[in-house]
Short mmCIF file of all heavy atoms in Angstrom, two decimals:
data_model
loop_
_atom_site.label_atom_id
_atom_site.label_comp_id
_atom_site.label_asym_id
_atom_site.label_seq_id
_atom_site.Cartn_x
_atom_site.Cartn_y
_atom_site.Cartn_z
N MET J 1 17.37 6.90 -4.23
CA MET J 1 16.38 5.86 -4.39
C MET J 1 16.60 4.72 -3.40
O MET J 1 15.67 4.01 -3.08
CB MET J 1 16.43 5.31 -5.83
CG MET J 1 15.77 6.21 -6.85
SD MET J 1 14.01 6.26 -6.58
CE MET J 1 13.71 7.98 -6.54
N ASP J 2 17.84 4.57 -2.93
CA ASP J 2 18.09 3.52 -1.93
C ASP J 2 17.36 3.81 -0.63
O ASP J 2 16.87 2.89 0.02
CB ASP J 2 19.59 3.39 -1.66
CG ASP J 2 20.34 2.80 -2.84
OD1 ASP J 2 19.70 2.08 -3.63
OD2 ASP J 2 21.55 3.06 -2.97
N ILE J 3 17.27 5.09 -0.28
CA ILE J 3 16.57 5.46 0.95
C ILE J 3 15.08 5.14 0.82
O ILE J 3 14.46 4.63 1.76
CB ILE J 3 16.78 6.96 1.26
CG1 ILE J 3 18.25 7.21 1.59
CG2 ILE J 3 15.91 7.41 2.41
CD1 ILE J 3 18.61 8.66 1.74
N VAL J 4 14.52 5.40 -0.35
CA VAL J 4 13.10 5.10 -0.58
C VAL J 4 12.85 3.61 -0.46
O VAL J 4 11.88 3.16 0.17
CB VAL J 4 12.67 5.63 -1.97
CG1 VAL J 4 11.25 5.20 -2.29
CG2 VAL J 4 12.79 7.15 -2.03
N SER J 5 13.73 2.82 -1.03
CA SER J 5 13.60 1.37 -0.95
C SER J 5 13.74 0.88 0.48
O SER J 5 13.00 -0.02 0.91
CB SER J 5 14.65 0.72 -1.84
OG SER J 5 14.56 -0.68 -1.74
N ASP J 6 14.67 1.47 1.24
CA ASP J 6 14.85 1.07 2.64
C ASP J 6 13.63 1.43 3.48
O ASP J 6 13.21 0.63 4.33
CB ASP J 6 16.10 1.73 3.22
CG ASP J 6 17.38 1.19 2.60
OD1 ASP J 6 17.33 0.10 1.99
OD2 ASP J 6 18.42 1.87 2.71
N VAL J 7 13.06 2.60 3.26
CA VAL J 7 11.85 2.99 3.99
C VAL J 7 10.71 2.04 3.66
O VAL J 7 9.95 1.61 4.53
CB VAL J 7 11.48 4.46 3.68
CG1 VAL J 7 10.10 4.80 4.21
CG2 VAL J 7 12.51 5.41 4.25
N GLY J 8 10.59 1.68 2.39
CA GLY J 8 9.56 0.73 1.98
C GLY J 8 9.74 -0.62 2.66
O GLY J 8 8.77 -1.24 3.11
N SER J 9 10.98 -1.08 2.76
CA SER J 9 11.25 -2.35 3.43
C SER J 9 10.89 -2.29 4.92
O SER J 9 10.33 -3.24 5.46
CB SER J 9 12.72 -2.71 3.29
OG SER J 9 13.05 -2.88 1.94
N ILE J 10 11.20 -1.17 5.55
CA ILE J 10 10.85 -1.01 6.97
C ILE J 10 9.34 -1.01 7.16
O ILE J 10 8.83 -1.64 8.09
CB ILE J 10 11.50 0.27 7.53
CG1 ILE J 10 13.02 0.10 7.60
CG2 ILE J 10 10.93 0.64 8.90
CD1 ILE J 10 13.77 1.37 7.90
N LEU J 11 8.61 -0.33 6.28
CA LEU J 11 7.15 -0.30 6.40
C LEU J 11 6.55 -1.69 6.21
O LEU J 11 5.61 -2.07 6.90
CB LEU J 11 6.56 0.69 5.38
CG LEU J 11 6.83 2.16 5.66
CD1 LEU J 11 6.27 3.01 4.53
CD2 LEU J 11 6.25 2.58 7.00
N ILE J 12 7.11 -2.45 5.28
CA ILE J 12 6.62 -3.81 5.07
C ILE J 12 6.91 -4.68 6.30
O ILE J 12 6.06 -5.49 6.70
CB ILE J 12 7.23 -4.42 3.80
CG1 ILE J 12 6.66 -3.71 2.57
CG2 ILE J 12 6.96 -5.91 3.70
CD1 ILE J 12 7.32 -4.09 1.28
N CYS J 13 8.07 -4.51 6.90
CA CYS J 13 8.40 -5.27 8.11
C CYS J 13 7.46 -4.93 9.26
O CYS J 13 7.04 -5.81 10.01
CB CYS J 13 9.85 -5.03 8.51
SG CYS J 13 11.03 -5.77 7.38
N ILE J 14 7.13 -3.66 9.41
CA ILE J 14 6.18 -3.25 10.45
C ILE J 14 4.82 -3.88 10.20
O ILE J 14 4.18 -4.40 11.12
CB ILE J 14 6.08 -1.71 10.52
CG1 ILE J 14 7.38 -1.12 11.06
CG2 ILE J 14 4.89 -1.27 11.37
CD1 ILE J 14 7.46 0.38 10.95
N ASP J 15 4.39 -3.87 8.95
CA ASP J 15 3.11 -4.47 8.60
C ASP J 15 3.11 -5.96 8.88
O ASP J 15 2.15 -6.50 9.43
CB ASP J 15 2.80 -4.21 7.12
CG ASP J 15 1.50 -4.86 6.68
OD1 ASP J 15 0.55 -4.90 7.48
OD2 ASP J 15 1.44 -5.32 5.53
N LEU J 16 4.19 -6.64 8.54
CA LEU J 16 4.27 -8.08 8.78
C LEU J 16 4.25 -8.39 10.27
O LEU J 16 3.59 -9.33 10.71
CB LEU J 16 5.54 -8.65 8.14
CG LEU J 16 5.77 -10.14 8.32
CD1 LEU J 16 4.63 -10.93 7.68
CD2 LEU J 16 7.09 -10.53 7.72
N ALA J 17 4.96 -7.60 11.07
CA ALA J 17 4.97 -7.82 12.51
C ALA J 17 3.58 -7.63 13.11
O ALA J 17 3.14 -8.44 13.95
CB ALA J 17 5.96 -6.86 13.17
N MET J 18 2.88 -6.59 12.69
CA MET J 18 1.52 -6.37 13.19
C MET J 18 0.59 -7.49 12.74
O MET J 18 -0.25 -7.96 13.51
CB MET J 18 1.00 -5.01 12.71
CG MET J 18 1.76 -3.83 13.26
SD MET J 18 1.74 -3.74 15.05
CE MET J 18 0.08 -3.25 15.33
N PHE J 19 0.74 -7.93 11.50
CA PHE J 19 -0.10 -9.02 10.98
C PHE J 19 0.10 -10.30 11.79
O PHE J 19 -0.86 -10.95 12.19
CB PHE J 19 0.25 -9.26 9.50
CG PHE J 19 -0.46 -10.44 8.91
CD1 PHE J 19 -1.81 -10.37 8.60
CD2 PHE J 19 0.23 -11.61 8.65
CE1 PHE J 19 -2.46 -11.45 8.04
CE2 PHE J 19 -0.41 -12.69 8.09
CZ PHE J 19 -1.76 -12.61 7.79
N LEU J 20 1.36 -10.64 12.06
CA LEU J 20 1.64 -11.84 12.83
C LEU J 20 1.14 -11.71 14.27
O LEU J 20 0.62 -12.67 14.84
CB LEU J 20 3.13 -12.15 12.80
CG LEU J 20 3.68 -12.56 11.44
CD1 LEU J 20 5.19 -12.71 11.51
CD2 LEU J 20 3.03 -13.82 10.94
N HIS J 21 1.27 -10.54 14.85
CA HIS J 21 0.79 -10.32 16.22
C HIS J 21 -0.72 -10.48 16.29
O HIS J 21 -1.24 -11.17 17.18
CB HIS J 21 1.19 -8.93 16.71
CG HIS J 21 0.56 -8.57 18.01
ND1 HIS J 21 0.94 -9.14 19.20
CD2 HIS J 21 -0.44 -7.70 18.30
CE1 HIS J 21 0.19 -8.65 20.17
NE2 HIS J 21 -0.65 -7.77 19.65
N PHE J 22 -1.45 -9.86 15.35
CA PHE J 22 -2.90 -9.95 15.39
C PHE J 22 -3.40 -11.34 15.04
O PHE J 22 -4.40 -11.79 15.58
CB PHE J 22 -3.53 -8.90 14.46
CG PHE J 22 -3.59 -7.54 15.06
CD1 PHE J 22 -2.74 -6.54 14.62
CD2 PHE J 22 -4.47 -7.25 16.08
CE1 PHE J 22 -2.78 -5.28 15.18
CE2 PHE J 22 -4.52 -5.99 16.65
CZ PHE J 22 -3.67 -5.01 16.20
N ASN J 23 -2.69 -12.06 14.17
CA ASN J 23 -3.08 -13.44 13.87
C ASN J 23 -2.91 -14.33 15.10
O ASN J 23 -3.75 -15.18 15.36
CB ASN J 23 -2.26 -14.00 12.72
CG ASN J 23 -2.94 -13.77 11.40
OD1 ASN J 23 -4.05 -13.28 11.34
ND2 ASN J 23 -2.25 -14.14 10.34
N LYS J 24 -1.82 -14.12 15.85
CA LYS J 24 -1.60 -14.92 17.05
C LYS J 24 -2.66 -14.62 18.10
O LYS J 24 -3.18 -15.53 18.74
CB LYS J 24 -0.20 -14.65 17.59
CG LYS J 24 0.19 -15.59 18.70
CD LYS J 24 1.68 -15.56 18.98
CE LYS J 24 2.06 -14.35 19.78
NZ LYS J 24 3.45 -14.38 20.25
N SER J 25 -3.02 -13.35 18.25
CA SER J 25 -4.03 -13.00 19.25
C SER J 25 -5.42 -13.50 18.82
O SER J 25 -6.20 -13.93 19.65
CB SER J 25 -4.05 -11.50 19.50
OG SER J 25 -4.44 -10.79 18.34
N MET J 26 -5.71 -13.47 17.52
CA MET J 26 -6.99 -13.98 17.04
C MET J 26 -7.07 -15.50 17.21
O MET J 26 -8.13 -16.03 17.54
CB MET J 26 -7.20 -13.64 15.56
CG MET J 26 -7.52 -12.20 15.32
SD MET J 26 -9.07 -11.80 16.13
CE MET J 26 -8.96 -10.06 16.14
N ALA J 27 -5.96 -16.20 17.02
CA ALA J 27 -5.95 -17.65 17.20
C ALA J 27 -6.22 -18.01 18.65
O ALA J 27 -6.95 -18.96 18.94
CB ALA J 27 -4.62 -18.23 16.73
N SER J 28 -5.64 -17.24 19.58
CA SER J 28 -5.88 -17.53 20.99
C SER J 28 -7.33 -17.22 21.38
O SER J 28 -7.91 -17.94 22.19
CB SER J 28 -4.91 -16.75 21.88
OG SER J 28 -5.16 -15.36 21.78
N ILE J 29 -7.92 -16.19 20.78
CA ILE J 29 -9.32 -15.87 21.07
C ILE J 29 -10.23 -16.98 20.53
O ILE J 29 -11.17 -17.40 21.20
CB ILE J 29 -9.70 -14.51 20.46
CG1 ILE J 29 -9.02 -13.38 21.23
CG2 ILE J 29 -11.21 -14.31 20.44
CD1 ILE J 29 -9.18 -12.02 20.59
N LYS J 30 -9.92 -17.48 19.35
CA LYS J 30 -10.73 -18.55 18.76
C LYS J 30 -10.62 -19.83 19.58
O LYS J 30 -11.58 -20.58 19.70
CB LYS J 30 -10.31 -18.81 17.32
CG LYS J 30 -10.77 -17.73 16.37
CD LYS J 30 -10.34 -18.02 14.96
CE LYS J 30 -10.77 -16.90 14.03
NZ LYS J 30 -10.33 -17.13 12.65
N MET J 31 -9.43 -20.11 20.13
CA MET J 31 -9.26 -21.32 20.92
C MET J 31 -10.01 -21.23 22.25
O MET J 31 -10.52 -22.23 22.74
CB MET J 31 -7.77 -21.57 21.20
CG MET J 31 -6.98 -21.91 19.96
SD MET J 31 -7.56 -23.40 19.14
CE MET J 31 -6.78 -24.61 20.18
N LYS J 32 -10.10 -20.03 22.82
CA LYS J 32 -10.79 -19.85 24.09
C LYS J 32 -12.29 -19.97 23.93
O LYS J 32 -12.97 -20.55 24.77
CB LYS J 32 -10.45 -18.49 24.70
CG LYS J 32 -9.05 -18.39 25.23
CD LYS J 32 -8.78 -17.01 25.80
CE LYS J 32 -7.34 -16.88 26.24
NZ LYS J 32 -7.02 -15.51 26.66
N GLY J 33 -12.83 -19.40 22.88
CA GLY J 33 -14.27 -19.37 22.73
C GLY J 33 -14.73 -20.00 21.44
O GLY J 33 -15.30 -19.35 20.58
N THR J 34 -14.50 -21.30 21.29
CA THR J 34 -14.91 -21.96 20.05
C THR J 34 -16.42 -22.10 19.97
O THR J 34 -16.97 -22.19 18.89
CB THR J 34 -14.26 -23.35 19.94
OG1 THR J 34 -14.58 -24.10 21.11
CG2 THR J 34 -12.76 -23.24 19.78
N SER J 35 -17.09 -22.10 21.13
CA SER J 35 -18.55 -22.24 21.10
C SER J 35 -19.24 -20.94 20.71
O SER J 35 -20.35 -20.95 20.20
CB SER J 35 -19.06 -22.71 22.46
OG SER J 35 -18.75 -21.73 23.43
N GLN J 36 -18.58 -19.81 20.96
CA GLN J 36 -19.17 -18.52 20.61
C GLN J 36 -18.57 -18.04 19.30
O GLN J 36 -17.38 -17.79 19.21
CB GLN J 36 -18.88 -17.49 21.70
CG GLN J 36 -19.47 -17.83 23.03
CD GLN J 36 -19.02 -16.85 24.10
OE1 GLN J 36 -18.11 -16.06 23.88
NE2 GLN J 36 -19.66 -16.90 25.24
N GLN J 37 -19.39 -17.91 18.30
CA GLN J 37 -18.93 -17.43 17.00
C GLN J 37 -19.34 -15.97 16.84
O GLN J 37 -20.47 -15.65 16.51
CB GLN J 37 -19.55 -18.27 15.86
CG GLN J 37 -19.10 -19.70 15.86
CD GLN J 37 -17.62 -19.83 15.56
OE1 GLN J 37 -17.04 -19.00 14.88
NE2 GLN J 37 -17.01 -20.87 16.08
N SER J 38 -18.42 -15.08 17.12
CA SER J 38 -18.70 -13.65 16.97
C SER J 38 -17.88 -13.12 15.80
O SER J 38 -16.79 -13.61 15.52
CB SER J 38 -18.34 -12.89 18.25
OG SER J 38 -16.96 -13.02 18.50
N PRO J 39 -18.38 -12.12 15.11
CA PRO J 39 -17.61 -11.56 14.00
C PRO J 39 -16.33 -10.90 14.50
O PRO J 39 -16.32 -10.26 15.55
CB PRO J 39 -18.55 -10.53 13.37
CG PRO J 39 -19.55 -10.22 14.42
CD PRO J 39 -19.66 -11.45 15.27
N VAL J 40 -15.27 -11.08 13.76
CA VAL J 40 -13.97 -10.54 14.15
C VAL J 40 -13.90 -9.07 13.78
O VAL J 40 -14.15 -8.69 12.65
CB VAL J 40 -12.83 -11.33 13.45
CG1 VAL J 40 -11.49 -10.73 13.80
CG2 VAL J 40 -12.90 -12.79 13.82
N GLN J 41 -13.59 -8.25 14.77
CA GLN J 41 -13.45 -6.82 14.54
C GLN J 41 -12.00 -6.49 14.21
O GLN J 41 -11.10 -6.90 14.93
CB GLN J 41 -13.87 -6.04 15.80
CG GLN J 41 -15.32 -6.26 16.19
CD GLN J 41 -16.28 -5.65 15.19
OE1 GLN J 41 -15.96 -4.67 14.54
NE2 GLN J 41 -17.44 -6.24 15.05
N VAL J 42 -11.79 -5.79 13.13
CA VAL J 42 -10.45 -5.37 12.74
C VAL J 42 -10.16 -4.03 13.40
O VAL J 42 -10.93 -3.09 13.26
CB VAL J 42 -10.34 -5.25 11.21
CG1 VAL J 42 -8.96 -4.80 10.80
CG2 VAL J 42 -10.69 -6.58 10.55
N SER J 43 -9.06 -3.98 14.13
CA SER J 43 -8.74 -2.76 14.87
C SER J 43 -8.17 -1.70 13.93
O SER J 43 -7.71 -1.99 12.83
CB SER J 43 -7.75 -3.05 15.99
OG SER J 43 -6.50 -3.37 15.44
N THR J 44 -8.19 -0.48 14.41
CA THR J 44 -7.67 0.65 13.63
C THR J 44 -6.17 0.52 13.42
O THR J 44 -5.66 0.85 12.35
CB THR J 44 -7.98 1.97 14.37
OG1 THR J 44 -9.39 2.03 14.64
CG2 THR J 44 -7.58 3.16 13.54
N VAL J 45 -5.47 0.01 14.42
CA VAL J 45 -4.01 -0.17 14.30
C VAL J 45 -3.69 -1.15 13.17
O VAL J 45 -2.77 -0.93 12.39
CB VAL J 45 -3.42 -0.65 15.64
CG1 VAL J 45 -1.94 -0.95 15.51
CG2 VAL J 45 -3.68 0.35 16.74
N GLU J 46 -4.48 -2.22 13.09
CA GLU J 46 -4.25 -3.20 12.03
C GLU J 46 -4.54 -2.62 10.65
O GLU J 46 -3.81 -2.87 9.69
CB GLU J 46 -5.11 -4.44 12.28
CG GLU J 46 -4.76 -5.59 11.38
CD GLU J 46 -5.54 -6.84 11.71
OE1 GLU J 46 -6.44 -6.80 12.59
OE2 GLU J 46 -5.28 -7.87 11.08
N LYS J 47 -5.59 -1.81 10.56
CA LYS J 47 -5.91 -1.16 9.28
C LYS J 47 -4.81 -0.21 8.85
O LYS J 47 -4.41 -0.18 7.68
CB LYS J 47 -7.23 -0.40 9.39
CG LYS J 47 -8.45 -1.26 9.47
CD LYS J 47 -9.70 -0.42 9.59
CE LYS J 47 -10.94 -1.24 9.80
NZ LYS J 47 -12.12 -0.42 9.99
N VAL J 48 -4.29 0.58 9.80
CA VAL J 48 -3.24 1.54 9.49
C VAL J 48 -1.95 0.82 9.09
O VAL J 48 -1.29 1.20 8.12
CB VAL J 48 -2.99 2.48 10.69
CG1 VAL J 48 -1.75 3.31 10.50
CG2 VAL J 48 -4.20 3.38 10.91
N SER J 49 -1.61 -0.25 9.81
CA SER J 49 -0.39 -0.99 9.46
C SER J 49 -0.52 -1.64 8.09
O SER J 49 0.46 -1.73 7.35
CB SER J 49 -0.06 -2.03 10.52
OG SER J 49 -0.98 -3.09 10.49
N ARG J 50 -1.71 -2.07 7.73
CA ARG J 50 -1.93 -2.66 6.40
C ARG J 50 -1.72 -1.62 5.32
O ARG J 50 -1.09 -1.86 4.30
CB ARG J 50 -3.34 -3.26 6.34
CG ARG J 50 -3.68 -3.96 5.08
CD ARG J 50 -2.86 -5.18 4.85
NE ARG J 50 -2.69 -5.95 6.08
CZ ARG J 50 -2.08 -7.11 6.15
NH1 ARG J 50 -1.62 -7.66 5.07
NH2 ARG J 50 -1.93 -7.72 7.29
N LYS J 51 -2.23 -0.40 5.56
CA LYS J 51 -2.03 0.69 4.59
C LYS J 51 -0.55 1.06 4.48
O LYS J 51 -0.05 1.34 3.39
CB LYS J 51 -2.85 1.92 4.98
CG LYS J 51 -4.34 1.71 4.98
CD LYS J 51 -4.87 1.46 3.60
CE LYS J 51 -6.38 1.28 3.65
NZ LYS J 51 -6.93 0.88 2.38
N LEU J 52 0.16 1.06 5.62
CA LEU J 52 1.59 1.36 5.58
C LEU J 52 2.35 0.28 4.82
O LEU J 52 3.32 0.57 4.11
CB LEU J 52 2.14 1.49 7.00
CG LEU J 52 1.75 2.74 7.76
CD1 LEU J 52 2.30 2.68 9.17
CD2 LEU J 52 2.24 3.98 7.04
N GLY J 53 1.93 -0.97 4.94
CA GLY J 53 2.55 -2.04 4.19
C GLY J 53 2.35 -1.87 2.69
O GLY J 53 3.27 -2.08 1.89
N HIS J 54 1.14 -1.46 2.31
CA HIS J 54 0.88 -1.19 0.89
C HIS J 54 1.72 -0.02 0.39
O HIS J 54 2.24 -0.05 -0.73
CB HIS J 54 -0.61 -0.92 0.66
CG HIS J 54 -1.46 -2.14 0.82
ND1 HIS J 54 -2.64 -2.12 1.52
CD2 HIS J 54 -1.29 -3.41 0.41
CE1 HIS J 54 -3.16 -3.33 1.51
NE2 HIS J 54 -2.36 -4.13 0.86
N LEU J 55 1.86 1.00 1.23
CA LEU J 55 2.71 2.14 0.86
C LEU J 55 4.16 1.69 0.69
O LEU J 55 4.85 2.12 -0.23
CB LEU J 55 2.62 3.24 1.93
CG LEU J 55 3.53 4.44 1.73
CD1 LEU J 55 3.16 5.19 0.47
CD2 LEU J 55 3.48 5.34 2.94
N GLY J 56 4.62 0.79 1.57
CA GLY J 56 5.97 0.27 1.46
C GLY J 56 6.19 -0.48 0.16
O GLY J 56 7.23 -0.35 -0.49
N ILE J 57 5.20 -1.28 -0.24
CA ILE J 57 5.31 -2.00 -1.51
C ILE J 57 5.38 -1.02 -2.67
O ILE J 57 6.20 -1.18 -3.58
CB ILE J 57 4.11 -2.97 -1.67
CG1 ILE J 57 4.23 -4.10 -0.65
CG2 ILE J 57 4.05 -3.53 -3.09
CD1 ILE J 57 3.00 -4.96 -0.55
N MET J 58 4.57 0.01 -2.63
CA MET J 58 4.59 1.00 -3.71
C MET J 58 5.92 1.76 -3.75
O MET J 58 6.44 2.05 -4.83
CB MET J 58 3.43 1.99 -3.56
CG MET J 58 2.06 1.35 -3.71
SD MET J 58 1.85 0.45 -5.25
CE MET J 58 1.92 1.77 -6.41
N LEU J 59 6.49 2.06 -2.58
CA LEU J 59 7.78 2.73 -2.54
C LEU J 59 8.89 1.87 -3.15
O LEU J 59 9.73 2.35 -3.90
CB LEU J 59 8.15 3.11 -1.10
CG LEU J 59 7.37 4.26 -0.49
CD1 LEU J 59 7.75 4.42 0.98
CD2 LEU J 59 7.61 5.55 -1.25
N ILE J 60 8.86 0.58 -2.84
CA ILE J 60 9.87 -0.31 -3.41
C ILE J 60 9.71 -0.42 -4.92
O ILE J 60 10.69 -0.36 -5.67
CB ILE J 60 9.80 -1.69 -2.73
CG1 ILE J 60 10.29 -1.57 -1.30
CG2 ILE J 60 10.63 -2.71 -3.50
CD1 ILE J 60 10.13 -2.83 -0.49
N ILE J 61 8.48 -0.55 -5.38
CA ILE J 61 8.24 -0.64 -6.83
C ILE J 61 8.70 0.64 -7.52
O ILE J 61 9.35 0.60 -8.57
CB ILE J 61 6.76 -0.94 -7.11
CG1 ILE J 61 6.44 -2.37 -6.69
CG2 ILE J 61 6.44 -0.74 -8.59
CD1 ILE J 61 4.97 -2.72 -6.74
N CYS J 62 8.37 1.78 -6.92
CA CYS J 62 8.79 3.06 -7.52
C CYS J 62 10.31 3.20 -7.52
O CYS J 62 10.88 3.75 -8.45
CB CYS J 62 8.16 4.23 -6.79
SG CYS J 62 6.40 4.39 -7.10
N SER J 63 10.97 2.70 -6.48
CA SER J 63 12.44 2.81 -6.44
C SER J 63 13.09 1.91 -7.47
O SER J 63 14.24 2.12 -7.84
CB SER J 63 12.97 2.48 -5.04
OG SER J 63 12.83 1.10 -4.76
N TRP J 64 12.37 0.91 -7.97
CA TRP J 64 12.91 0.08 -9.04
C TRP J 64 12.63 0.68 -10.41
O TRP J 64 13.45 0.60 -11.32
CB TRP J 64 12.31 -1.32 -9.02
CG TRP J 64 12.72 -2.18 -7.88
CD1 TRP J 64 13.82 -2.05 -7.10
CD2 TRP J 64 12.03 -3.33 -7.41
NE1 TRP J 64 13.85 -3.04 -6.16
CE2 TRP J 64 12.77 -3.85 -6.32
CE3 TRP J 64 10.85 -3.96 -7.78
CZ2 TRP J 64 12.37 -4.97 -5.63
CZ3 TRP J 64 10.47 -5.11 -7.09
CH2 TRP J 64 11.22 -5.60 -6.02
N ILE J 65 11.45 1.31 -10.57
CA ILE J 65 11.02 1.78 -11.88
C ILE J 65 11.66 3.13 -12.23
O ILE J 65 12.08 3.33 -13.37
CB ILE J 65 9.49 1.86 -11.93
CG1 ILE J 65 8.90 0.47 -11.88
CG2 ILE J 65 9.01 2.60 -13.17
CD1 ILE J 65 7.40 0.43 -11.76
N VAL J 66 11.72 4.06 -11.29
CA VAL J 66 12.21 5.40 -11.59
C VAL J 66 13.65 5.39 -12.13
O VAL J 66 13.92 6.06 -13.13
CB VAL J 66 12.07 6.32 -10.35
CG1 VAL J 66 12.79 7.64 -10.55
CG2 VAL J 66 10.59 6.56 -10.05
N PRO J 67 14.58 4.64 -11.57
CA PRO J 67 15.92 4.62 -12.17
C PRO J 67 15.94 4.05 -13.59
O PRO J 67 16.78 4.43 -14.40
CB PRO J 67 16.74 3.74 -11.23
CG PRO J 67 16.04 3.82 -9.94
CD PRO J 67 14.59 3.95 -10.27
N LYS J 68 15.03 3.15 -13.89
CA LYS J 68 14.97 2.58 -15.26
C LYS J 68 14.49 3.63 -16.26
O LYS J 68 14.87 3.59 -17.42
CB LYS J 68 14.02 1.38 -15.29
CG LYS J 68 14.36 0.28 -14.36
CD LYS J 68 15.28 -0.68 -15.02
CE LYS J 68 15.49 -1.84 -14.05
NZ LYS J 68 16.69 -2.54 -14.28
N LEU J 69 13.64 4.57 -15.82
CA LEU J 69 13.12 5.60 -16.72
C LEU J 69 14.13 6.71 -16.96
O LEU J 69 14.08 7.38 -18.00
CB LEU J 69 11.84 6.20 -16.13
CG LEU J 69 10.66 5.24 -16.02
CD1 LEU J 69 9.49 5.94 -15.32
CD2 LEU J 69 10.24 4.71 -17.36
N ALA J 70 15.01 6.94 -16.01
CA ALA J 70 15.97 8.04 -16.12
C ALA J 70 17.15 7.71 -16.98
O ALA J 70 17.47 6.74 -17.43
CB ALA J 70 16.44 8.46 -14.75
#
């Protein structure tokens, strides 16, 4: 179960890194073109990293619950 928890932590860290990277790039885009208000497109990489982060959270929760049930 420790391996499952570690994998979950790694997935969450990857998700956080991608989130911070995309937030920084979106902030720079907004600063450059404040006069142009265009809808923000979410990239496929960001969507996938968000799903991996959710999977990481579920892995950590499962690694806490399964030992309690056994």
Side-chain angles (χ1 to χ4, degrees):
M1 283 292 129
D2 290 335
I3 294 173
V4 174
S5 178
D6 291 342
V7 169
S9 298
I10 291 169
L11 290 176
I12 290 172
C13 290
I14 291 170
D15 178 36
L16 180 61
M18 295 300 288
F19 175 74
L20 293 175
H21 171 72
F22 280 108
N23 268 355
K24 189 165 78 171
S25 64
M26 286 298 163
S28 66
I29 289 172
K30 286 180 182 178
M31 293 300 280
K32 288 179 184 174
T34 55
S35 62
Q36 298 174 348
Q37 295 294 332
S38 62
V40 177
Q41 298 292 330
V42 179
S43 69
T44 306
V45 175
E46 190 175 5
K47 288 179 186 177
V48 169
S49 70
R50 183 64 42 176
K51 297 293 181 187
L52 287 176
H54 290 136
L55 176 65
I57 291 170
M58 295 305 293
L59 287 174
I60 290 174
I61 290 172
C62 288
S63 70
W64 290 340
I65 292 173
V66 170
K68 303 271 185 204
L69 295 176

